[in-house]
Amino acid sequence: LALSLHCATDEERTALLPANRRYGGLDELMSTIREYIRVKKSRVTFEWALIEGENDSREVARTLGRLLQRHDIRPDMSHVNLIPLNPTGGYGGGPSGRANVQKFVEVLEKEFGVSATPRMRRGIDIDAGCGQLKATVKKKEGANKMLSQLESVLPVV
């Protein structure tokens, strides 16, 4: 099971992913994850898009580590994939630099025993990276809507 987490507090996660609140927030999610691990006896992977200056600091890594500890998510049954943010239209955040990525990994592994792997950013050139495809589709939908509105008011020639 891979889960897009990206933030370790309800306030930040709800700002980034509004559905967080609708589904009971991080406490509900982590309880479900803990139960999944217990029943399936399978490791869970948390996906974490690293955004420069927003969720890539050592303190944020500690907040994530404490979240997992507080909910008894076993370090040997969890893994964190760290993905530097892909450039996405309509979002001003940028990818984390290598130094911040490495510091994040070190905190999770050395202080909390949670394995973490920095991932390569892929699909950027074809807008298929994390978050890019949705932004591209929304942009096209907006252009199509505008075209339809224009066609409805312009005379047919």
Side-chain angles (χ1 to χ4, degrees), residues 28-45:
E28 183 70 24
L29 178 62
M30 291 297 135
S31 294
T32 303
I33 294 297
R34 185 181 60 246
E35 184 65 10
Y36 174 88
I37 292 169
R38 187 187 69 75
V39 170
K40 295 288 189 178
K41 297 179 181 15
S42 181
R43 184 173 86 162
V44 173
T45 299

Side-chain angles (χ1 to χ4, degrees), residues 25 38 53 56-58 74 79 89 95 106 110 120 133 135 154:
R38 187 187 69 75
D56 65 344
S57 69
R58 287 179 181 191
R74 292 176 28 198
H79 181 81
E106 288 173 7
K110 292 179 180 173
M120 298 282 295
L133 184 57
L154 292 175

Side-chain angles (χ1 to χ4, degrees), residues 18-81:
N20 181 59
R21 181 178 298 127
R22 184 175 33 223
Y23 294 106
L26 286 172
D27 286 338
E28 183 70 24
L29 178 62
M30 291 297 135
S31 294
T32 303
I33 294 297
R34 185 181 60 246
E35 184 65 10
Y36 174 88
I37 292 169
R38 187 187 69 75
V39 170
K40 295 288 189 178
K41 297 179 181 15
S42 181
R43 184 173 86 162
V44 173
T45 299
F46 297 101
E47 305 294 339
W48 192 278
L50 286 165
I51 305 166
E52 181 77 40
E54 290 188 38
N55 70 347
D56 65 344
S57 69
R58 287 179 181 191
E59 191 50 45
V60 171
R62 287 183 184 102
T63 302
L64 172 57
R66 287 190 295 267
L67 173 72
L68 298 176
Q69 281 182 338
R70 188 170 67 250
H71 290 280
D72 296 321
I73 306 294
R74 292 176 28 198
D76 63 320
M77 295 301 281
S78 60
H79 181 81
V80 180
N81 277 333

Side-chain angles (χ1 to χ4, degrees), residues 80-145:
V80 180
N81 277 333
L82 299 168
I83 309 156
L85 182 72
N86 289 311
T88 304
Y91 184 73
S96 297
R98 285 185 184 174
N100 282 357
V101 173
Q102 192 53 44
K103 290 173 187 173
F104 206 95
V105 169
E106 288 173 7
V107 167
L108 289 176
E109 290 183 346
K110 292 179 180 173
E111 296 181 26
F112 296 94
V114 175
S115 64
T117 304
R119 296 293 183 194
M120 298 282 295
R121 298 183 323 162
R122 297 180 187 269
I124 297 169
D125 55 333
I126 59 170
D127 285 345
C130 185
Q132 290 181 309
L133 184 57
K134 180 178 179 182
T136 300
V137 169
K138 284 202 163 288
K139 185 176 179 181
K140 285 182 182 178
E141 286 173 351
N144 288 339
K145 183 177 178 182

